[in-house]
Amino acid sequence: MDLSVQRRNYGGDNQSWLGSARGTNEARSITLDVSTFTKATHYPDGQLKSGLPLAKAAAGGKFVLFTGDDGTKLAGFLLTPVQAPADPTTPVGGALLDDARVIAANLPVTVSALAQGTAPARFIFA
């Protein structure tokens, strides 16, 4: 894991998927397995987008892209953008929003109503 201090300027992030500030001050630190994300879809500009749905991997304790296809449950959403490493096998840190009001139509990827049903009760989908 790269823990070196670096300075980067980010473009504006679209957080229109947040329905309120609920939970944003209590996001928890996690480690992301970037190899589960697709560059062209999830980080075309080199940054993992905020609002990406996440699940806890069955092994290793890292968080992966939630697809709803592999039996995992929706754990939360990436709160802020994260710089993707050049090598996707390098784990990176991120902030998991696990209690929120979410505007599903504004998420960067589609999370079906069925998949939303796997989320903890702390989520309100609008």
Side-chain angles (χ1 to χ4, degrees):
M1 180 181 297
D2 182 8
L3 297 176
S4 61
V5 176
Q6 300 175 6
R7 180 183 173 113
R8 290 192 174 95
N9 291 323
Y10 293 103
D13 181 43
N14 181 358
Q15 289 191 328
S16 65
W17 59 273
L18 285 170
S20 71
R22 176 181 159 182
T24 58
N25 63 337
E26 297 171 359
R28 62 184 172 120
S29 298
I30 59 167
T31 302
L32 295 164
D33 179 353
V34 181
S35 69
T36 65
F37 298 84
T38 304
K39 182 175 174 62
T41 304
H42 305 116
Y43 59 103
D45 60 356
Q47 297 175 32
L48 293 164
K49 301 173 185 180
S50 72
L52 287 173
L54 303 173
K56 189 162 188 176
K62 294 178 185 162
F63 283 78
V64 299
L65 178 67
F66 170 78
T67 62
D69 299 333
D70 54 6
T72 58
K73 293 183 180 181
L74 180 63
F77 298 90
L78 188 61
L79 178 58
T80 56
V82 172
Q83 184 69 31
D87 177 1
T89 62
T90 303
V92 294
L96 177 72
L97 182 63
D98 58 3
D99 179 8
R101 181 176 192 85
V102 175
I103 301 172
N106 293 348
L107 287 167
V109 295
T110 301
V111 178
S112 70
L114 182 63
Q116 290 173 23
T118 70
R122 300 179 307 267
F123 285 100
I124 298 170
F125 289 93

